[in-house]
Amino acid sequence: MRPEDSAGAAEPGEPVLLLTDDAPPRASEEPAAAETEGAPGRGRCCLCPSSPCGSRAEPAKKKAPCPGLGLLYTLLSTFFFSLTSLFVKKVQDVHAVEISAFRCVFQMLVIIPCLIYRKTGFIGPKDQRIFLILRGVVGSTAMILIYYAFQRMPLADATVITFSSPVFTSIFAWIFLKEKCSPWDALFIVFSMTGVILIVKPPFLFGSSSSGTEESYSVHLKGTFAAIGHAVFSGLTLVILRKLGKSVDYFLSIWYYVIIGLLESIIVLFILGEWSLPYCGLDRLYLILIGGFGLGGQVFLTKGLQIEKAGPVAIMRTMDVVFAFTFQIIIFNDVPSWWTVGGAICLVASSTGAAIHRWYQSSK
């Protein structure tokens, strides 16, 4: 089966990525068979074999992906994920695992009709099921960890810690995908990590008085480990999605994410005994918004990874830090320090440089 066939019905103008450089079997076998049997070739019909005929016109060629389109999809997914983080932070008296379960249920109700409409099935290609299962387990674990971190730490601190994920993404992509890390990619990663350090202001570099942590040390430490765990699993998720590429429909990838995430959340909630319905109507609205924006973020992120390398996508997602601090100023009335501003500038420079470099490479 050709990669574009297994990816499901493509919408008009949707970029198509072939997973290999080889021509599809049918494209290479038809001309040979025509020559052997004396049948008219491509562009000719049986009534006029000596001249081209309009009755069998050349099929329209697929348009190449627009340079930077994958990074644009990633930027949109980052904005939606930032809104999701904001609403998770504002939810009261609901455990992080339960929030994850509500989000999975909401997304499942949306994904099922999409899968039925696109006729992709609910299982996927046999040779890709193991990667789909891994994507579900790793992705849902990352979601639970970051929600827990948001509830235990300030929104901006938790966000910036998770954006050490480009380092893990580059390592996993180098190990599993054999992707080369160019000097420019390394430079953008250095800029990104410098921005994270300036924003987090670790005590061993800036002193204990600069951390500004109000929570107890044990609670803050739990949130920090959860955020770092999310960074590791998020980096691995990006590599798995890149490995899947166009071999499966992106809605099918999200389906595995939500169904496995729901099962995982139910098991954890059963063990912890933390299940409880939200009492406040505003919290219920936040849960709906978390599901909606989370779904939008997943769709755009998956589509971005289908046409872009894992490393640049991970770097572009550091824009989430800028959105997080913007929400912190506007919603929580917490003005960042000049160190934070410097870190944000580094992160924006890193993301912008990656986009320009990708556009330049594609235009060659």
Side-chain angles (χ1 to χ4, degrees):
M1 180 179 292
R2 292 179 296 178
E4 60 267 34
D5 293 338
S6 62
E11 299 176 357
E14 183 182 19
V16 177
L17 173 66
L18 296 178
L19 299 182
T20 63
D21 295 329
D22 299 329
R26 277 180 274 180
S28 60
E29 294 170 1
E30 285 181 0
E35 293 175 2
T36 303
E37 300 176 7
R42 185 182 296 272
R44 306 174 186 273
C45 68
C46 58
L47 298 179
C48 46
S50 61
S51 62
C53 177
S55 60
R56 288 190 64 182
E58 287 284 347
K61 294 183 178 180
K62 299 286 186 180
K63 289 184 178 181
C66 177
L69 182 60
L71 296 178
L72 177 60
Y73 284 150
T74 307
L75 182 62
L76 291 174
S77 74
T78 299
F79 180 68
F80 285 168
F81 284 137
S82 299
L83 292 175
T84 302
S85 305
L86 173 64
F87 293 126
V88 169
K89 185 66 177 177
K90 292 182 72 66
V91 169
Q92 302 292 329
D93 301 326
V94 180
H95 197 276
V97 181
E98 187 174 351
I99 296 177
S100 303
F102 274 108
R103 172 178 167 176
C104 290
V105 170
F106 178 88
Q107 292 183 341
M108 187 185 304
L109 297 177
V110 178
I111 289 297
I112 290 177
C114 293
L115 290 175
I116 295 175
Y117 174 78
R118 297 170 72 90
K119 299 179 181 180
T120 58
F122 294 88
I123 301 179
K126 185 176 181 180
D127 58 337
Q128 300 293 344
R129 292 172 190 170
I130 182 63
F131 297 108
L132 288 169
I133 294 175
L134 287 174
R135 184 267 188 275
V137 173
V138 174
S140 58
T141 302
M143 174 181 60
I144 293 175
L145 288 174
I146 192 56
Y147 286 179
Y148 181 84
F150 286 146
Q151 291 189 335
R152 295 296 183 270
M153 302 175 63
L155 176 63
D157 290 354
T159 301
V160 294
I161 291 176
T162 62
F163 279 91
S164 57
S165 61
V167 176
F168 301 105
T169 301
S170 299
I171 295 174
F172 291 137
W174 174 66
I175 295 174
F176 299 110
L177 302 183
K178 308 302 180 182
E179 290 187 3
K180 295 181 179 179
C181 183
S182 68
W184 282 106
D185 292 332
L187 178 62
F188 296 144
I189 290 177
V190 170
F191 265 90
S192 179
M193 295 305 301
T194 302
V196 170
I197 293 174
L198 291 176
I199 294 174
V200 176
K201 299 186 294 292
F204 66 89
L205 291 177
F206 295 86
S208 58
S209 60
S210 63
S211 60
T213 302
E214 298 179 357
E215 297 85 0
S216 64
Y217 178 76
S218 59
V219 174
H220 188 270
L221 190 61
K222 291 179 181 178
T224 300
F225 280 123
I228 295 175
H230 167 82
V232 175
F233 284 105
S234 179
L236 185 57
T237 300
L238 293 173
V239 174
I240 295 174
L241 287 174
R242 179 61 184 174
K243 177 68 175 179
L244 288 171
K246 271 283 187 178
S247 61
V248 296
D249 191 273
Y250 53 87
F251 279 110
L252 183 62
S253 174
I254 300 174
W255 164 253
Y256 271 83
Y257 170 78
V258 298
I259 193 65
I260 294 179
L262 178 60
L263 293 176
E264 183 177 350
S265 299
I266 291 175
I267 293 173
V268 174
L269 285 173
F270 178 79
I271 295 174
L272 298 178
E274 291 286 349
W275 177 266
S276 63
L277 294 176
Y279 297 101
C280 176
L282 194 58
D283 281 349
R284 299 172 187 176
L285 175 61
Y286 289 153
L287 291 174
I288 295 175
L289 293 175
I290 289 170
F293 285 117
L295 176 61
Q298 284 295 326
V299 170
F300 281 115
L301 176 60
T302 305
K303 288 178 68 65
L305 282 164
Q306 288 177 344
I307 57 178
E308 188 57 80
K309 287 186 177 181
V313 167
I315 296 174
M316 176 60 76
R317 290 204 62 217
T318 56
M319 283 295 296
D320 196 359
V321 176
V322 179
F323 294 133
F325 278 88
T326 302
F327 293 148
Q328 181 168 309
I329 296 173
I330 298 175
I331 305 300
F332 300 103
N333 197 25
D334 185 3
V335 180
S337 65
W338 285 108
W339 290 110
T340 300
V341 174
I345 292 175
C346 288
L347 288 166
V348 171
S350 174
S351 300
T352 305
I356 295 175
H357 177 62
R358 183 55 49 195
W359 174 83
Y360 176 76
Q361 291 289 352
S362 300
S363 62
K364 283 185 176 181

